[in-house]
Amino acid sequence: MQAAVIGIGYWGPNLIRNFLASEKIEKVHVFDINKSRLDFIRKRFPLVTIADSVEEILNADKIDMVAIATPVDKHFETAKKALERGKHIWVEKPFTSSVEQAIILNQIAAERNLNIFVDHTFIYTGAVKKMKEIIDNNELGDLLYFDSVRINLGLFQSDVNVIWDLAPHDLSIMFYLMNKKPVAIAANGVANYYGHENIAHISVYFENNCFAHFHVNWTSPVKIRRMIAGGNKKMLVFDDMENSEKIKVYDSGIEMKEKEGIYNALVQYRIGDMYSPKLVQTEALTLGVEEFINSIIEKRKPLTNGDDGLNVIRILEASDASIKQKGKLITL
């Protein structure tokens, strides 16, 4: 098979490197409107074929798959054309700029038996895979809450706010781990610079009194990448800034017991052992590329597909609506 990468800014070279490394890809084509980036790629990856335009890539019958790593406002147009010309597509996060666009792309792909891979990279990390294993084995029990913080003194985006930039990572992890359908969301945020919110909080409500919360911020003096999943048996902490013990499982919890007398209930805290499981260290993007290619060969949907992309876009779009109305609850 042959692959193409459209857009070779920050993330594009990583895609090129991993496609070139695959034994199942015989040639990689690239294009970017920035000629200096093409010169850089030509020197760094002499085996790639430089295209003169997007149309050259889309019209080439020999190209089976197209990875789209452009700004998000260009995702839909390029992805739609690629699907209409029979290409399987890889789309960087966020998948599209709207729910409507995501639905259209998924419909075209289904009609033409083509695959959409949405690059929710963290799903392929050893840490998230281990979290999934722990939760699926019911070690935490029934999940009660999911709490995520992703903040740093980061790179401002000119086309999207901090929610669209940072939250897709953790929203995709939430959907992967929890296997629950959100029923409503509320979001609050503020734009201190350039008109886009640079700090925001998202609350996601599920049935059965389950709750998720996300804190994203471009203007924090410290960098934090932390998640907590709390169950009625145990609790799990994932700290991506840790070098060795990224995941810690705590045998801790709360028990409510009936008590006679002046109080109706007695709260008891259980604090037991903690352990940190060993994680697989394979590069997540390598596993993502392998999953994309294998899903095409095996004629099945990839693990992170267009439906997953749509789920995340629903939350992002609803968050924008909620922020504009000062945190109004939006039903999904």
Side-chain angles (χ1 to χ4, degrees):
M1 292 188 289
Q2 296 190 19
V5 179
I6 298 175
I8 49 176
Y10 167 73
W11 197 242
N14 295 320
L15 294 174
I16 294 171
R17 173 172 55 81
N18 278 279
F19 279 120
L20 284 172
S22 172
E23 295 179 352
K24 298 169 184 174
I25 300 296
E26 65 174 358
K27 186 176 288 188
V28 177
H29 306 255
V30 302
F31 176 75
D32 195 284
I33 59 173
N34 187 330
K35 300 302 179 184
S36 64
R37 290 298 296 173
L38 290 175
D39 292 337
F40 166 77
I41 291 298
R42 187 181 287 109
K43 293 176 181 177
R44 183 174 175 183
F45 303 106
L47 294 179
V48 302
T49 300
I50 305 295
D52 292 326
S53 66
V54 171
E55 291 299 317
E56 179 182 329
I57 287 175
L58 299 182
N59 290 331
D61 293 335
K62 58 189 176 183
I63 295 176
D64 305 280
M65 62 192 76
V66 176
I68 300 164
T70 62
V72 64
D73 61 343
K74 299 293 191 297
H75 283 187
F76 175 70
E77 178 185 359
T78 308
K80 184 171 181 289
K81 288 181 179 179
L83 289 171
E84 289 173 343
R85 297 180 200 186
K87 315 296 185 189
H88 302 280
I89 60 171
W90 168 300
V91 187
E92 285 306 313
K93 62 84 187 169
F95 180 28
T96 58
S97 298
S98 70
V99 168
E100 181 183 7
Q101 291 177 351
I103 291 174
I104 290 172
L105 294 182
N106 285 339
Q107 288 175 340
I108 296 173
E111 292 167 359
R112 297 172 181 260
N113 293 317
L114 295 168
N115 277 7
I116 296 177
F117 182 99
V118 180
D119 190 14
H120 294 151
T121 312
F122 279 86
I123 301 304
Y124 299 93
T125 62
V128 174
K129 284 180 173 292
K130 179 58 69 173
M131 291 166 69
K132 177 71 169 174
E133 177 185 321
I134 291 169
I135 291 172
D136 285 353
N137 288 339
N138 200 36
E139 190 170 341
L140 304 186
D142 294 332
L143 283 183
L144 305 177
Y145 69 89
F146 181 89
D147 191 56
S148 171
V149 179
R150 184 174 294 270
I151 64 176
N152 63 280
L153 196 59
L155 179 65
F156 275 75
Q157 304 297 322
S158 60
D159 54 340
V160 294
N161 63 19
V162 69
I163 290 178
W164 284 78
D165 180 41
L166 297 184
H169 294 302
D170 302 327
L171 288 168
S172 66
I173 294 172
M174 175 195 75
F175 279 110
Y176 180 60
L177 296 180
M178 298 186 69
N179 197 28
K180 295 176 182 288
K181 186 177 179 180
V183 296
I185 74 105
N188 289 280
V190 64
N192 300 118
Y193 311 92
Y194 305 120
H196 290 304
E197 286 81 12
N198 55 280
I199 178 172
H201 294 260
I202 309 170
S203 298
V204 182
Y205 298 88
F206 301 85
E207 293 179 346
N208 301 323
N209 209 32
C210 186
F211 177 76
H213 179 263
F214 301 85
H215 173 199
V216 289
N217 187 354
W218 278 330
T219 53
S220 167
V222 295
K223 185 174 183 178
I224 300 175
R225 301 278 186 273
R226 185 181 299 130
M227 296 179 183
I228 303 174
N232 63 352
K233 291 183 180 178
K234 296 182 181 179
M235 301 179 182
L236 179 153
V237 177
F238 167 40
D239 190 339
D240 201 27
M241 302 306 297
E242 285 279 354
N243 292 323
S244 56
E245 297 182 342
K246 288 184 178 292
I247 290 181
K248 295 178 180 178
V249 180
Y250 294 83
D251 185 9
S252 303
I254 297 173
E255 297 178 359
M256 303 290 291
K257 294 187 176 180
E258 295 297 323
K259 180 184 178 183
E260 297 180 0
I262 192 169
Y263 299 107
N264 293 324
L266 175 66
V267 178
Q268 292 189 341
Y269 299 96
R270 186 184 74 257
I271 301 176
D273 294 334
M274 180 278 291
Y275 78 91
S276 181
K278 183 179 179 180
L279 306 179
V280 176
Q281 298 298 327
T282 307
E283 182 185 1
L285 190 56
T286 299
L287 296 177
V289 167
E290 181 180 341
E291 168 67 8
F292 180 42
I293 295 170
N294 288 340
S295 71
I296 295 171
I297 295 172
E298 297 165 9
K299 301 185 185 303
R300 60 171 175 81
K301 282 188 175 183
L303 178 61
T304 51
N305 51 62
D307 293 332
D308 300 289
L310 173 59
N311 287 336
V312 171
I313 298 301
R314 287 191 196 279
I315 302 293
L316 300 180
E317 193 173 84
S319 297
D320 280 349
S322 181
I323 283 179
K324 290 176 182 177
Q325 301 177 76
K326 302 297 183 183
K328 179 181 178 180
L329 190 69
I330 305 295
T331 302
L332 298 173

